[in-house]
Amino acid sequence: MSRPARPIARMLALVVLTWLVVVGAVLTPPAEARVTAGDDRHPGPGIGLPTTAPSPAPTAAATVESSPAASSSPSAAAAPSTPATPAPTVDHSTSPAPTPRPRVDLSCEGEVETVAIDPATGWQDVVVDPVRRLPEAWAPDDLVEVEGVGYDGSPAPRVRELVVDDLAAMHEAASRAGARFVVVSAFRSQDHQARVWDRAVASEGGVDAARAGTAPPGHSEHQLGTTIDVVDPGLPELDAGLAETPAGHWLAVHAVEFGFVVSYPDGATARTCYKPEPWHLRYVGRERAAAMAAFPLSPREFLLDRATRAPASTDEPS
């Protein structure tokens, strides 16, 4: 009786084992569902969480827009786009052509005219030369004597009052530098210049020869009261050799610093109308003298060039 029980027990054990396998297969969840909701080490969703795909990360623009700090800043919001303003176009066909500058007339001969500038107020600008003369018998009314710049015992030279301070300063500076000069001529009246002219005509043998080195009456810069003739004590005559003396060397470099210019420089006879005269210094003021020194022009050219410009212009020749 005990023999038949063994097959039956085996069959029952097999049935139970099969049932357990089937039940286990039904009750066991998938692998990803076995991760608990608190296990954040696994990229998949935990139990009880929706299994839908995660929303995409917000874009940079969305992040800025949603940020409280960004929304309070006017510069953080995107600026509205505005169309670019096109550059203005210039119609060159209607632009006025530049006005040509008049040609400077450097002629030393021709019809004589009286200067239009009042020499009393336009002493820096007036041009006096063989074809331009001062008003008849004109003389400045502010002439003063300058002591200490002439020869001892000789009448003190007279210049306009506006020249005195710079002339005295120049004489003192030259003396300190061992290049003392002496003023031998300054203001000359028209009558005085007439006597100088007559002597030149007689000594030079005629008007044409005299004109090369002497101005006729009414045409001399000395009549302005702002011009002086100087010599070196070692060469007391008015001579081109002044340029080789201590006084001549010093004046060639430093006279402009005190407002004086050489009216008739070397190598410019055709443009100045006179032979070189290193002793002939005209006062034009320190600022004007510096402007003249900056350009390769004789003083006569500089002033004539400037006169061709508009009266309101303060530009210097270019």
Side-chain angles (χ1 to χ4, degrees):
M1 293 297 294
S2 57
R3 270 179 186 240
R6 289 183 180 176
I8 293 173
R10 289 178 182 163
M11 289 181 66
L12 288 174
L14 181 60
V15 170
V16 172
L17 181 60
T18 302
W19 179 83
L20 290 174
V21 171
V22 172
V23 172
V26 172
L27 297 179
T28 302
E32 63 272 12
R34 290 198 299 269
V35 180
T36 62
D39 187 358
D40 58 0
R41 294 171 297 174
H42 193 278
I47 297 175
L49 298 177
T51 58
T52 56
S55 300
T59 62
T63 302
V64 172
E65 196 172 307
S66 62
S67 170
S71 62
S72 64
S73 174
S75 61
S81 60
T82 56
T85 303
T89 57
V90 179
D91 184 2
H92 295 283
S93 63
T94 60
S95 299
T99 304
R101 286 176 52 190
R103 180 179 180 276
V104 176
D105 183 6
L106 296 177
S107 175
C108 298
E109 298 180 0
E111 184 177 352
V112 175
E113 61 181 28
T114 300
V115 298
I117 298 175
D118 180 359
T121 56
W123 54 274
Q124 289 180 303
D125 298 310
V126 64
V127 177
V128 185
D129 60 19
V131 294
R132 297 171 181 83
R133 60 165 295 143
L134 293 169
E136 184 67 25
W138 181 86
D141 60 4
D142 59 348
L143 292 169
V144 295
E145 294 183 346
V146 185
E147 299 291 342
V149 298
Y151 280 117
D152 294 338
S154 298
R158 293 190 299 161
V159 295
R160 291 191 62 176
E161 189 173 12
L162 56 86
V163 181
V164 174
D165 289 345
D166 279 337
L167 174 56
M170 182 171 69
H171 188 268
E172 181 181 355
S175 298
R176 288 200 308 266
R180 178 176 175 269
F181 61 84
V182 178
V183 178
V184 294
S185 181
F187 168 74
R188 296 181 200 154
S189 67
Q190 185 171 325
D191 287 343
H192 185 168
Q193 187 65 26
R195 294 192 294 273
V196 172
W197 170 253
D198 290 342
R199 287 198 299 270
V201 171
S203 63
E204 297 293 338
V207 170
D208 291 340
R211 187 179 285 124
T214 304
H219 295 257
S220 173
E221 287 188 337
H222 282 280
Q223 194 173 336
L224 293 171
T226 55
T227 302
I228 58 175
D229 287 343
V230 301
V231 298
D232 185 289
L235 184 66
E237 301 295 328
L238 294 178
D239 189 277
L242 173 69
E244 304 304 321
T245 65
H249 282 301
W250 190 91
L251 289 168
V253 175
H254 299 288
V256 66
E257 298 169 9
F258 298 89
F260 289 86
V261 294
V262 177
S263 293
Y264 313 124
D266 190 22
T269 298
R271 293 172 281 134
T272 64
C273 306
Y274 295 106
K275 295 184 296 186
E277 294 187 359
W279 61 83
H280 183 109
L281 304 177
R282 175 177 172 178
Y283 182 75
V284 293
R286 297 193 182 201
E287 185 176 347
R288 176 63 60 81
M292 287 181 169
F295 295 93
L297 305 173
S298 67
R300 179 177 183 251
E301 291 175 278
F302 182 99
L303 295 178
L304 289 176
D305 184 279
R306 195 172 188 274
T308 64
R309 301 168 182 272
S313 172
T314 57
D315 294 339
E316 304 298 359
S318 56

